[in-house]
Amino acid sequence: MTLPMVQFEQVGKLYGSHRVLDDLSFSVSAGEKLALIGASGSGKTTILRILMTLETIQEGAIAINGRPLANSAIAALNHRKQAAHLHEIRRDIGMVFQHFNLFPHMTVFRNIMLAPMLTQKVTESDAKATAMALLEMVGLQNKASAYPAELSGGQKQRVAIARALALKPKVMLFDEVTSALDPELVEEVLNVLRKLAVETDMTMLLVTHEMSFARDFADRVLFLDGGRIVEEGPPEEIFRNPKQDRTKVFLKKIVAAGLSI
Ligand code: ADP
């Protein structure tokens, strides 16, 4: 039996007394592309932030490729041991945020090369070769020596994607990566993600409000409401034939807002 790449088991997350994730269980197979959809506040970003070890959980357990990322035993470790453990697990996970967070004083090339050289002891020439291949993949090989301020939002986000990929994570997380972009720049970023989904066997979790893109990209869709999974299934089923009333209402609102499905 192969282990799931990502496994949530009865996860509960609270901010004070405010429950954000509620008895949440799901798993993602190696190579699977999963889209998380749901209204604002339903817990989608929190799931990604927990996987990035930016947030802790209060209940349940999470494992990455069979290795624990969060559970009560890890929570009980002393600070130093816990930090060392999380650092180790974090190496398998990369994330692209809504805002690109590129280093403004570094060229595109340096932005991509920096983390592998600093954190994985990759040599400069290997880091360069990887950065060049990734820039080609995102269609920006001619921007290697540009600075972020010289790029459009879409180009910056494509660099941010290349930068996350340079660390060769097993799991990539994408959080609303087009929502800070002008509408005319959205498609170029989605095209890169489409290509990635087809060409790599990386496991990917994607939070998006672009339903038609979720349909192209994802093998499976989870619809969340109030920190719980209301419905899950292949995109065709969720979008064309939702079974739960809450999913139907959510999709109707999307259509009413003029966003296509
Ligand atoms: P989504 O990504 O689906 O919009 P989020 O995961 O961002 O939802 O948020 C889920 C809930 O958690 C929301 O009610 C939000 O207000 C709350 N929340 C998120 N971050 C914090 C925080 N740092 N402190 C308190 N509440 C938070």
Side-chain angles (χ1 to χ4, degrees):
M1 198 189 79
T2 51
L3 287 167
M5 184 55 82
V6 176
Q7 183 157 38
F8 273 55
E9 264 181 284
Q10 298 186 301
V11 170
K13 165 78 189 164
L14 294 101
Y15 287 108
S17 60
H18 178 39
R19 182 171 282 283
V20 174
L21 299 181
D22 188 9
D23 194 23
L24 187 69
S25 299
F26 68 92
S27 56
V28 192
S29 312
E32 193 178 16
K33 317 294 183 250
L34 181 78
L36 301 169
I37 65 165
S40 177
S42 57
K44 306 178 298 293
T45 295
T46 301
I47 291 172
L48 301 192
R49 289 179 55 82
I50 290 169
L51 285 169
M52 280 300 278
T53 72
L54 298 170
E55 298 286 351
T56 55
I57 59 173
Q58 283 69 49
E59 298 160 358
I62 301 170
I64 303 294
N65 208 13
R67 295 197 301 166
L69 178 139
N71 60 29
S72 51
I74 291 171
L77 290 175
N78 71 35
H79 181 73
R80 195 177 50 79
K81 284 193 174 151
Q82 195 181 95
H85 174 79
L86 293 181
H87 179 75
E88 189 56 34
I89 295 276
R90 267 271 290 110
R91 298 161 83 98
D92 286 342
I93 305 169
M95 183 157 172
V96 180
F97 298 85
Q98 195 173 334
H99 297 284
F100 342 107
N101 308 325
L102 298 176
F103 299 114
H105 59 290
M106 285 183 196
T107 63
V108 162
F109 222 28
R110 282 276 148 195
N111 262 282
I112 300 173
M113 289 165 60
L114 186 70
M117 287 172 61
L118 284 183
T119 66
Q120 298 180 341
K121 307 277 178 280
V122 172
T123 64
E124 177 149 359
S125 68
D126 285 353
K128 259 188 191 154
T130 303
M132 204 29 131
L134 287 169
L135 278 177
E136 251 172 63
M137 206 273 299
V138 300
L140 291 173
Q141 57 276 38
N142 58 344
K143 295 289 182 191
S145 43
Y147 284 85
E150 301 170 87
L151 304 179
S152 71
Q155 290 172 332
K156 281 184 208 165
Q157 192 57 298
R158 284 148 66 195
V159 174
I161 292 169
R163 184 176 59 171
L165 291 171
L167 287 164
K168 302 189 168 68
K170 292 195 177 84
V171 181
M172 274 287 285
L173 312 173
F174 298 98
D175 188 13
E176 298 269 20
V177 293
T178 59
S179 56
L181 299 176
D182 292 334
E184 71 274 17
L185 303 177
V186 167
E187 206 50 36
E188 65 186 69
V189 174
L190 295 186
N191 280 338
V192 167
L193 295 186
R194 280 190 191 96
K195 193 164 137 188
L196 260 183
V198 174
E199 291 180 4
T200 77
D201 57 4
M202 235 179 274
T203 309
M204 299 185 185
L205 278 72
L206 169 111
V207 170
T208 187
H209 61 270
E210 307 268 349
M211 297 300 141
S212 59
F213 171 65
R215 202 166 58 179
D216 291 354
F217 174 90
D219 301 312
R220 188 157 54 102
V221 175
L222 292 190
F223 170 63
L224 292 149
D225 191 31
R228 283 174 162 264
I229 297 170
V230 173
E231 188 162 355
E232 66 173 292
E236 274 306 309
E237 228 167 81
I238 298 285
F239 294 126
R240 290 284 162 230
N241 191 20
K243 296 193 176 46
Q244 302 296 326
D245 286 344
R246 275 184 286 174
T247 321
K248 290 178 192 169
V249 169
F250 172 74
L251 293 173
K252 261 199 192 124
K253 276 191 189 149
I254 295 271
V255 173
L259 299 165
S260 62
I261 296 182

